Amino acid sequence: MSALLDETLVRSALEDAQTLSFGPFSLDVRTLELRRDGVLVPIAPQPARLLLTLASRAGELVTRDELRQSVWGNDTFVDFERGLNFCVLQARTALGDDAKNPAYIETLPKRGYRFIATIRQPARASAIGAQPVVIFAILTALALLVWPRNVVDHTTSKVPAAHESYLRGRQLYQQRATPQVEASVRELRNAIHLEPDFALPYVALAESLHALAMRERVAPRTAAVEIRNASANAVRLAPSYAGSHAITAMQHFWYDWDWDAAEESYQRAIRLDPRNASALHDHGWLLIVRGHFDEGIAEIRRAQELEPANPRANMHVAWAYVYTRRYADAIREAQRALELSPGLEEANACLDTANAMRANRAFPPAASDGADFYANAVRHVRLGDHDGAIWWLTRAKEIRNTSIPLAGVDPKLEPLHRDARFVDLLASIGLRPFMQPTR
């Protein structure tokens, strides 16, 4: 605890000093979440810590050595100069700042950096006499509570090359196109090779592999092996990080078909980070798969509320409405996604599906069977060939196709609900057919 303030004063001020606000930005000093006009801005932990250090001492020179201590502590760091330069670049990128004409972070050559924007001080801090040294002492005390230095932080990289590879992997994944997601897997594997004790690449690798398995670009059984290894390492290295438990839940849900274990891990992830949109989204689907439709929709909508301007967040809600037979709601959400991103292929597919199901109109079946066994089963249902549909669903189950957990709630498979073979297939993985009345 800082000698500048007694414990009572610090703790009374902590609640009001948890956010630093400047320009359109706010930085949560507990979670290191950066927001612009309320919208979350992606930023890695190290540049977020650097930004917190600079902003908490706004107007002052912060030396490079002070930043080293703040961001990396006493950890050995072999390429500090390069790492700090890269960290500053990431912070500036998150802020949209220009090094040559800065609005936030000014470089003082060979000395350090200075935060030049005005910080809007919290009310409680103003009431106690908010000299900059007092504010810094409060934030430092809070930082020591949040980041105890005797605990190794495996969510922070100590190898710049590994961190760069991790960031490239995440950026490629965010592009969503299959070739970019495949490239992200290569980058993330490289990050793990360079720094096996860095937890974040394991989490990101599991997410990228899952995306490819859902698209049938990686065999689900093959993906499951690497995802299982990644989740085990993530939990081992960062047991207090929500993402570690979110990918463990993902493994239990989509690959192990262990519904109770998935529920437990999702609950743990959400307790650690109630704003984890990915965990909320997948937990909502788990609830829907288990027949808890309203609860599932509510969870997926919570994820949407965290990213209201994200077209994919709206699209995910639309698909959830399709699978719970709320077709009018699905059409509304799909149209909203298309307003945000005209031509978004998945949103158009969702809109077509919702319109067809609402009108009780049959889809034209594909010309022939393809590599996706689950899609083949849907095709045979459309053809009225229930024997063929069951044959393909059985094959899909054998290879652990990632769509199998959805079979009991998939409206396209409703004609099979009274088929004992379909009921038995679902029962073998602990599920049963569910049907929500159309609204």
Side-chain angles (χ1 to χ4, degrees):
M1 189 65 66
S2 170
L4 293 171
L5 298 171
D6 63 38
E7 182 175 354
T8 301
L9 180 57
V10 169
R11 291 193 178 277
S12 69
L14 285 178
E15 186 172 340
D16 289 320
Q18 289 174 345
T19 301
L20 286 176
S21 299
F22 49 92
F25 294 98
S26 62
L27 177 65
D28 190 317
V29 302
R30 300 162 301 168
T31 64
L32 295 181
E33 289 179 313
L34 178 68
R35 294 179 182 275
R36 182 187 180 104
D37 295 325
V39 178
L40 195 64
V41 177
I43 187 170
Q46 286 173 325
R49 287 189 187 182
L50 178 140
L51 180 57
L52 171 61
T53 302
L54 292 172
S56 64
R57 294 176 57 181
E60 298 180 33
L61 163 68
V62 183
T63 68
R64 294 176 70 84
D65 192 61
E66 286 175 314
L67 287 170
R68 174 179 183 166
Q69 180 65 28
S70 174
V71 176
W72 289 281
N74 295 320
D75 296 336
T76 301
F77 192 51
V78 295
D79 194 358
F80 158 68
E81 293 297 328
R82 183 177 178 219
L84 179 58
N85 291 340
F86 186 61
C87 207
V88 171
L89 174 62
Q90 292 175 81
R92 281 181 167 142
T93 299
L95 297 172
D97 206 13
D98 182 353
K100 294 182 179 179
N101 186 28
Y104 299 103
I105 301 175
E106 178 186 33
T107 300
L108 301 174
K110 299 183 180 181
R111 299 170 66 195
Y113 300 90
R114 178 164 52 208
F115 193 83
I116 58 176
T118 300
I119 299 293
R120 296 192 294 278
Q121 296 174 350
R124 177 76 62 83
S126 297
I128 64 173
Q131 297 89 352
V133 66
V134 174
I135 296 296
F136 181 63
I138 292 171
L139 293 171
T140 301
L142 181 58
L144 290 172
L145 292 174
V146 176
W147 308 313
R149 287 300 184 188
N150 61 338
V151 176
V152 178
D153 181 6
H154 290 294
T155 62
T156 300
S157 174
K158 302 173 183 64
V159 180
H163 195 203
E164 290 175 26
S165 201
Y166 161 70
L167 290 176
R168 284 195 298 269
R170 291 304 288 170
Q171 290 164 356
L172 286 163
Y173 171 76
Q174 293 297 333
Q175 294 178 40
R176 305 292 180 179
T178 297
Q180 280 69 39
V181 177
E182 290 172 336
S184 79
V185 168
R186 293 191 292 271
E187 289 286 356
L188 295 165
R189 286 172 177 161
N190 183 56
I192 290 168
H193 171 73
L194 293 170
E195 191 176 5
D197 287 342
F198 182 22
L200 298 188
Y202 290 105
V203 175
L205 177 62
E207 292 174 346
S208 291
L209 287 168
H210 178 57
L212 294 176
M214 294 284 278
R215 301 175 192 182
E216 298 289 320
R217 296 301 293 259
V218 175
R221 286 187 184 276
T222 301
V225 172
E226 199 165 0
I227 289 171
R228 191 171 291 111
N229 178 67
S231 64
N233 277 298
V235 170
R236 173 179 61 84
L237 293 167
S240 298
Y241 178 54
S244 302
H245 299 284
I247 62 166
T248 300
M250 180 182 77
Q251 166 209 318
H252 291 318
F253 181 7
W254 299 103
Y255 299 91
D256 299 343
W257 302 340
D258 187 336
W259 321 117
D260 291 339
E263 176 68 28
E264 181 180 350
S265 291
Y266 279 131
Q267 291 284 3
R268 184 173 301 174
I270 294 166
R271 281 198 302 272
L272 287 168
D273 182 5
R275 301 172 182 173
N276 189 317
S278 177
L280 289 166
H281 167 267
D282 267 21
H283 184 229
W285 277 107
L286 176 64
L287 291 167
I288 289 171
V289 161
R290 303 186 85 177
H292 306 298
F293 299 111
D294 291 340
E295 296 94 329
I297 288 288
E299 200 80 327
I300 295 172
R301 288 200 69 93
R302 284 177 61 195
Q304 179 194 35
E305 288 165 4
L306 293 172
E307 303 175 295
N310 184 336
R312 292 184 179 278
N314 290 275
M315 181 193 68
H316 293 322
V317 174
W319 276 116
Y321 281 136
V322 167
Y323 277 76
T324 55
R325 287 31 172 205
R326 293 171 59 173
Y327 301 122
D329 291 329
I331 291 167
R332 183 191 68 243
E333 296 296 336
Q335 289 173 336
R336 182 177 298 169
L338 287 169
E339 289 171 4
L340 293 167
S341 178
L344 183 62
E345 184 177 342
E346 294 172 80
N348 276 317
C350 182
L351 187 60
D352 290 344
T353 301
N355 278 315
M357 300 304 298
R358 187 184 191 189
N360 199 26
R361 184 177 76 246
F363 293 90
S368 60
D369 294 331
D372 186 335
F373 293 179
Y374 187 90
N376 293 344
V378 171
R379 172 177 180 268
H380 283 266
V381 169
R382 291 172 179 169
L383 292 170
D385 177 12
H386 289 196
D387 292 342
I390 295 296
W391 190 90
W392 280 113
L393 283 173
T394 303
R395 304 288 84 72
K397 177 194 165 190
E398 289 171 353
I399 67 167
R400 303 194 83 80
N401 182 291
T402 52
S403 293
I404 284 293
L406 301 173
V409 294
D410 190 338
K412 299 184 293 295
L413 297 182
E414 263 188 38
L416 298 178
H417 279 201
R418 291 183 175 83
D419 191 311
R421 296 169 297 176
F422 181 67
V423 174
D424 289 345
L425 183 147
L426 289 178
S428 70
I429 60 172
L431 296 176
R432 64 187 180 89
F434 292 103
M435 185 172 68
Q436 177 90 329
T438 302
R439 298 187 183 183

